Tab-separated table of all heavy atoms in Angstrom:
chain	number	residue	atom	x	y	z
S	41	ARG	N	69.834	115.739	4.414
S	41	ARG	CA	70.544	116.480	5.455
S	41	ARG	C	69.753	116.553	6.753
S	41	ARG	O	70.288	116.911	7.796
S	41	ARG	CB	70.931	117.874	4.969
S	41	ARG	CG	69.774	118.777	4.668
S	41	ARG	CD	70.233	119.980	3.850
S	41	ARG	NE	69.116	120.795	3.444
S	41	ARG	CZ	68.767	121.938	4.027
S	41	ARG	NH1	69.449	122.380	5.058
S	41	ARG	NH2	67.746	122.619	3.583
S	48	GLU	N	56.761	118.614	5.144
S	48	GLU	CA	56.512	119.820	4.350
S	48	GLU	C	57.410	119.861	3.110
S	48	GLU	O	56.976	120.289	2.034
S	48	GLU	CB	56.692	121.073	5.215
S	48	GLU	CG	56.542	122.410	4.483
S	48	GLU	CD	55.186	122.629	3.825
S	48	GLU	OE1	54.190	121.987	4.220
S	48	GLU	OE2	55.115	123.458	2.884
S	51	SER	N	55.820	117.499	0.620
S	51	SER	CA	54.595	118.030	0.012
S	51	SER	C	54.912	119.081	-1.046
S	51	SER	O	54.305	119.115	-2.114
S	51	SER	CB	53.701	118.650	1.089
S	51	SER	OG	53.354	117.689	2.057
S	52	ARG	N	55.874	119.954	-0.741
S	52	ARG	CA	56.265	120.972	-1.730
S	52	ARG	C	56.811	120.318	-2.993
S	52	ARG	O	56.503	120.739	-4.112
S	52	ARG	CB	57.316	121.903	-1.123
S	52	ARG	CG	56.741	122.797	-0.048
S	52	ARG	CD	57.735	123.814	0.460
S	52	ARG	NE	57.116	124.609	1.528
S	52	ARG	CZ	57.620	125.729	2.008
S	52	ARG	NH1	58.761	126.210	1.544
S	52	ARG	NH2	56.987	126.384	2.955
S	63	ARG	N	52.974	113.991	-17.507
S	63	ARG	CA	53.366	114.173	-18.913
S	63	ARG	C	54.388	113.125	-19.347
S	63	ARG	O	54.295	112.557	-20.438
S	63	ARG	CB	53.945	115.571	-19.115
S	63	ARG	CG	52.860	116.623	-19.022
S	63	ARG	CD	53.388	117.985	-19.371
S	63	ARG	NE	52.316	118.967	-19.207
S	63	ARG	CZ	52.506	120.274	-19.166
S	63	ARG	NH1	53.733	120.764	-19.299
S	63	ARG	NH2	51.498	121.089	-19.020
S	92	LEU	N	47.505	114.535	0.188
S	92	LEU	CA	46.522	115.481	-0.350
S	92	LEU	C	46.880	115.947	-1.757
S	92	LEU	O	46.004	116.176	-2.574
S	92	LEU	CB	46.434	116.710	0.564
S	92	LEU	CG	45.423	116.633	1.686
S	92	LEU	CD1	45.442	117.919	2.478
S	92	LEU	CD2	44.029	116.392	1.110
S	99	LYS	N	41.834	113.631	-8.564
S	99	LYS	CA	40.442	114.060	-8.743
S	99	LYS	C	40.310	114.957	-9.970
S	99	LYS	O	39.359	114.844	-10.743
S	99	LYS	CB	39.979	114.859	-7.522
S	99	LYS	CG	39.644	114.032	-6.325
S	99	LYS	CD	39.173	114.979	-5.219
S	99	LYS	CE	39.026	114.220	-3.915
S	99	LYS	NZ	38.568	115.118	-2.842
S	101	TYR	N	42.343	115.239	-12.657
S	101	TYR	CA	42.523	114.517	-13.926
S	101	TYR	C	41.304	113.648	-14.236
S	101	TYR	O	40.817	113.628	-15.366
S	101	TYR	CB	43.800	113.669	-13.892
S	101	TYR	CG	45.060	114.463	-14.171
S	101	TYR	CD1	45.951	114.780	-13.158
S	101	TYR	CD2	45.359	114.906	-15.466
S	101	TYR	CE1	47.106	115.504	-13.406
S	101	TYR	CE2	46.514	115.628	-15.737
S	101	TYR	CZ	47.382	115.929	-14.700
S	101	TYR	OH	48.520	116.649	-14.959
S	174	ARG	N	72.857	106.113	10.587
S	174	ARG	CA	73.333	107.391	11.116
S	174	ARG	C	74.343	107.179	12.233
S	174	ARG	O	75.358	107.872	12.320
S	174	ARG	CB	72.131	108.188	11.614
S	174	ARG	CG	72.419	109.648	11.537
S	174	ARG	CD	71.268	110.539	11.768
S	174	ARG	NE	71.819	111.670	12.481
S	174	ARG	CZ	71.390	112.096	13.636
S	174	ARG	NH1	70.372	111.488	14.210
S	174	ARG	NH2	71.978	113.105	14.215
S	175	LEU	N	74.060	106.199	13.065
S	175	LEU	CA	74.955	105.826	14.164
S	175	LEU	C	76.329	105.425	13.635
S	175	LEU	O	77.354	105.672	14.257
S	175	LEU	CB	74.319	104.613	14.845
S	175	LEU	CG	74.337	104.403	16.329
S	175	LEU	CD1	73.857	105.627	17.070
S	175	LEU	CD2	73.407	103.227	16.669
S	228	GLU	N	78.435	102.995	21.392
S	228	GLU	CA	78.892	103.959	22.407
S	228	GLU	C	79.924	103.337	23.348
S	228	GLU	O	80.886	104.001	23.752
S	228	GLU	CB	77.695	104.501	23.194
S	228	GLU	CG	76.898	105.505	22.364
S	228	GLU	CD	75.551	105.860	22.983
S	228	GLU	OE1	75.359	105.606	24.188
S	228	GLU	OE2	74.693	106.369	22.246
S	231	GLU	N	83.130	103.356	21.580
S	231	GLU	CA	83.664	104.731	21.505
S	231	GLU	C	84.305	105.131	22.821
S	231	GLU	O	85.387	105.734	22.847
S	231	GLU	CB	82.534	105.715	21.161
S	231	GLU	CG	82.206	105.749	19.672
S	231	GLU	CD	80.964	106.585	19.359
S	231	GLU	OE1	80.207	106.918	20.308
S	231	GLU	OE2	80.747	106.874	18.167
S	330	ASP	N	34.354	113.585	-3.244
S	330	ASP	CA	34.776	114.251	-2.006
S	330	ASP	C	35.707	113.346	-1.202
S	330	ASP	O	35.901	113.527	-0.005
S	330	ASP	CB	33.569	114.691	-1.165
S	330	ASP	CG	32.709	113.528	-0.714
S	330	ASP	OD1	32.995	112.382	-1.123
S	330	ASP	OD2	31.749	113.755	0.042
S	332	PRO	N	38.442	111.877	0.798
S	332	PRO	CA	39.485	112.534	1.600
S	332	PRO	C	40.810	111.765	1.524
S	332	PRO	O	40.821	110.602	1.121
S	332	PRO	CB	38.920	112.455	3.016
S	332	PRO	CG	38.041	111.239	3.019
S	332	PRO	CD	37.612	110.965	1.592
Z	40	ALA	N	40.364	119.855	0.474
Z	40	ALA	CA	40.536	118.809	-0.538
Z	40	ALA	C	39.239	118.067	-0.818
Z	40	ALA	O	38.967	117.690	-1.955
Z	40	ALA	CB	41.610	117.820	-0.096
Z	41	GLU	N	38.434	117.863	0.233
Z	41	GLU	CA	37.175	117.152	0.023
Z	41	GLU	C	36.185	118.019	-0.753
Z	41	GLU	O	35.445	117.542	-1.594
Z	41	GLU	CB	36.535	116.768	1.371
Z	41	GLU	CG	37.220	115.624	2.073
Z	41	GLU	CD	38.262	116.103	3.069
Z	41	GLU	OE1	38.987	117.073	2.745
Z	41	GLU	OE2	38.356	115.520	4.156
Z	48	LEU	N	32.449	121.386	-9.925
Z	48	LEU	CA	31.419	120.860	-10.833
Z	48	LEU	C	30.090	121.605	-10.646
Z	48	LEU	O	29.384	121.872	-11.620
Z	48	LEU	CB	31.227	119.357	-10.610
Z	48	LEU	CG	32.402	118.494	-11.082
Z	48	LEU	CD1	32.080	117.014	-10.913
Z	48	LEU	CD2	32.745	118.794	-12.547
Z	73	PHE	N	49.902	126.265	4.053
Z	73	PHE	CA	50.459	125.473	2.952
Z	73	PHE	C	49.566	124.340	2.442
Z	73	PHE	O	49.403	124.169	1.244
Z	73	PHE	CB	51.802	124.866	3.358
Z	73	PHE	CG	52.776	125.863	3.907
Z	73	PHE	CD1	53.768	125.443	4.789
Z	73	PHE	CD2	52.722	127.201	3.548
Z	73	PHE	CE1	54.678	126.342	5.302
Z	73	PHE	CE2	53.637	128.107	4.055
Z	73	PHE	CZ	54.618	127.682	4.938
Z	74	THR	N	49.030	123.554	3.375
Z	74	THR	CA	48.319	122.350	2.947
Z	74	THR	C	47.084	122.709	2.128
Z	74	THR	O	46.851	122.154	1.057
Z	74	THR	CB	47.935	121.493	4.169
Z	74	THR	OG1	49.139	121.164	4.863
Z	74	THR	CG2	47.256	120.209	3.751
Z	77	ARG	N	47.989	124.245	-1.364
Z	77	ARG	CA	48.396	123.275	-2.395
Z	77	ARG	C	47.208	122.591	-3.056
Z	77	ARG	O	47.285	122.226	-4.232
Z	77	ARG	CB	49.339	122.232	-1.779
Z	77	ARG	CG	50.776	122.672	-1.742
Z	77	ARG	CD	51.684	121.532	-1.333
Z	77	ARG	NE	51.560	121.198	0.066
Z	77	ARG	CZ	52.328	121.695	1.039
Z	77	ARG	NH1	53.300	122.524	0.741
Z	77	ARG	NH2	52.148	121.327	2.279
Z	81	VAL	N	47.283	122.495	-7.046
Z	81	VAL	CA	47.482	121.257	-7.805
Z	81	VAL	C	46.222	120.926	-8.601
Z	81	VAL	O	46.300	120.389	-9.712
Z	81	VAL	CB	47.926	120.084	-6.893
Z	81	VAL	CG1	46.786	119.538	-6.059
Z	81	VAL	CG2	48.549	118.969	-7.731
Z	88	ASP	N	46.341	121.031	-17.271
Z	88	ASP	CA	47.137	120.049	-18.023
Z	88	ASP	C	46.241	119.038	-18.726
Z	88	ASP	O	46.447	118.713	-19.894
Z	88	ASP	CB	48.101	119.340	-17.061
Z	88	ASP	CG	49.008	118.367	-17.793
Z	88	ASP	OD1	49.665	118.799	-18.773
Z	88	ASP	OD2	49.060	117.182	-17.417
Z	202	ARG	N	57.447	131.194	3.857
Z	202	ARG	CA	58.136	130.616	5.016
Z	202	ARG	C	58.864	129.373	4.559
Z	202	ARG	O	58.380	128.672	3.670
Z	202	ARG	CB	57.142	130.185	6.105
Z	202	ARG	CG	56.595	131.266	6.981
Z	202	ARG	CD	55.740	130.600	8.065
Z	202	ARG	NE	55.018	131.565	8.872
Z	202	ARG	CZ	53.722	131.433	9.201
Z	202	ARG	NH1	53.024	130.409	8.774
Z	202	ARG	NH2	53.155	132.342	9.949
Z	208	GLU	N	68.200	120.636	10.991
Z	208	GLU	CA	69.236	119.654	10.690
Z	208	GLU	C	69.755	119.095	12.000
Z	208	GLU	O	69.971	119.829	12.951
Z	208	GLU	CB	70.369	120.314	9.915
Z	208	GLU	CG	69.949	120.624	8.498
Z	208	GLU	CD	71.076	121.222	7.691
Z	208	GLU	OE1	72.193	120.677	7.764
Z	208	GLU	OE2	70.836	122.228	7.018
Z	209	PRO	N	69.930	117.788	12.051
Z	209	PRO	CA	70.398	117.201	13.302
Z	209	PRO	C	71.814	117.672	13.623
Z	209	PRO	O	72.647	117.801	12.742
Z	209	PRO	CB	70.369	115.691	13.025
Z	209	PRO	CG	70.290	115.546	11.542
Z	209	PRO	CD	69.741	116.812	10.981
Z	212	ARG	N	74.472	113.291	17.660
Z	212	ARG	CA	73.362	112.401	17.974
Z	212	ARG	C	73.179	112.276	19.476
Z	212	ARG	O	74.085	112.506	20.260
Z	212	ARG	CB	73.587	111.036	17.343
Z	212	ARG	CG	74.896	110.374	17.680
Z	212	ARG	CD	74.895	108.924	17.233
Z	212	ARG	NE	75.521	108.136	18.275
Z	212	ARG	CZ	76.777	107.760	18.231
Z	212	ARG	NH1	77.557	108.062	17.209
Z	212	ARG	NH2	77.289	107.049	19.224
Z	214	ARG	N	72.813	110.361	22.877
Z	214	ARG	CA	73.361	109.113	23.403
Z	214	ARG	C	72.250	108.347	24.111
Z	214	ARG	O	71.353	108.934	24.682
Z	214	ARG	CB	74.486	109.394	24.380
Z	214	ARG	CG	75.603	110.204	23.764
Z	214	ARG	CD	76.869	110.082	24.573
Z	214	ARG	NE	78.003	110.186	23.671
Z	214	ARG	CZ	78.616	109.146	23.159
Z	214	ARG	NH1	78.242	107.932	23.488
Z	214	ARG	NH2	79.615	109.300	22.332
Z	215	VAL	N	72.331	107.021	24.078
Z	215	VAL	CA	71.358	106.227	24.813
Z	215	VAL	C	71.942	105.792	26.158
Z	215	VAL	O	71.225	105.381	27.041
Z	215	VAL	CB	70.908	104.973	24.025
Z	215	VAL	CG1	70.259	105.401	22.733
Z	215	VAL	CG2	72.050	104.024	23.764
Z	216	THR	N	73.266	105.869	26.279
Z	216	THR	CA	73.877	105.484	27.546
Z	216	THR	C	74.407	106.724	28.247
Z	216	THR	O	74.785	107.688	27.597
Z	216	THR	CB	75.040	104.498	27.318
Z	216	THR	OG1	75.835	104.963	26.233
Z	216	THR	CG2	74.522	103.127	26.978
Side-chain angles (χ1 to χ4, degrees):
Chain S
R41 65 195 175 102
E48 176 60 22
S51 301
R52 290 186 182 193
R63 289 186 182 166
L92 270 181
K99 283 181 189 180
Y101 279 106
R174 207 170 144 236
L175 218 51
E228 285 168 18
E231 279 172 346
D330 62 355
Chain Z
E41 286 94 320
L48 290 184
F73 308 154
T74 302
R77 275 189 288 267
V81 75
D88 183 53
R202 281 185 187 135
E208 288 183 46
R212 54 169 221 262
R214 302 199 148 265
V215 299
T216 44

